[in-house]
Amino acid sequence: MKSKIIALPKIEDPRGNLSVLEGAAIPFKINRVYYLYDVPSGAERGGHAHKKQREFIIAVSGSFEVVLNDGASEQVYHLFKPNEGLYVPINTWRELRNFSAGSVCLVVSSDSFDEEDYIREYPLYLDYLKKL
């Protein structure tokens, strides 16, 4: 499956809306959840790829951009809706940037943290892709 925006169920209520991550909402079993917040103006996060881990990224508050690169092309996604998320498949370089004040980035992943799964230098990422 390629990267894509996936809409989450949105239950609208005058008291406030609710969205749920469960069942087949995302294309993998959730094994880890983490979030980024208080990201300083101008700071960037990400800057790596995963060999095995898949991710689903949600702007639960505020907005930010996710730049995805598959070694041949680049696509920029602007995330700003808490009832939508971006599916990021394996072997995809990602960078997060342009965080608005007060933004919260929620990341749901298919695997627990494993440093061996990370490719943290772009030239090494391109070399890795050539070997696939």
Side-chain angles (χ1 to χ4, degrees):
M1 174 183 266
K2 292 195 167 272
S3 60
K4 68 176 186 174
I5 296 290
I6 297 174
L8 298 171
K10 180 180 179 183
I11 301 162
E12 296 186 50
D13 188 293
R15 302 168 296 164
N17 298 330
L18 178 128
S19 287
V20 179
L21 273 174
E22 65 182 1
I26 56 174
F28 57 82
K29 181 181 175 201
I30 298 168
N31 280 303
R32 181 174 181 231
V33 177
Y34 64 92
Y35 48 98
L36 306 169
Y37 59 98
D38 293 340
V39 178
S41 177
E44 294 184 2
R45 299 296 310 238
H48 63 269
H50 290 286
K51 300 171 192 172
K52 297 178 185 174
Q53 180 174 287
R54 296 174 288 163
E55 294 183 332
F56 188 69
I57 303 172
I58 305 167
V60 293
S61 181
S63 65
F64 51 88
E65 293 176 337
V66 181
V67 182
L68 298 183
N69 183 313
D70 64 5
S73 64
E74 184 174 278
Q75 186 158 5
V76 178
Y77 294 90
H78 183 73
L79 299 184
F80 59 95
K81 295 180 181 178
N83 65 314
E84 288 184 352
L86 175 62
Y87 171 71
V88 182
I90 62 170
N91 302 326
T92 304
W93 187 265
R94 83 277 329 271
E95 297 175 0
L96 288 80
R97 66 185 188 199
N98 295 327
F99 288 84
S100 67
S103 63
V104 178
C105 170
L106 178 72
V107 182
V108 178
S109 66
S110 63
D111 296 291
S112 298
F113 176 81
D114 177 5
E115 185 60 36
E116 295 296 315
D117 185 53
Y118 283 74
I119 305 170
R120 296 189 182 271
E121 295 180 35
Y122 190 71
L124 295 177
Y125 167 68
L126 294 176
D127 289 342
Y128 175 79
L129 291 178
K130 290 176 188 174
K131 296 174 186 174
L132 293 179

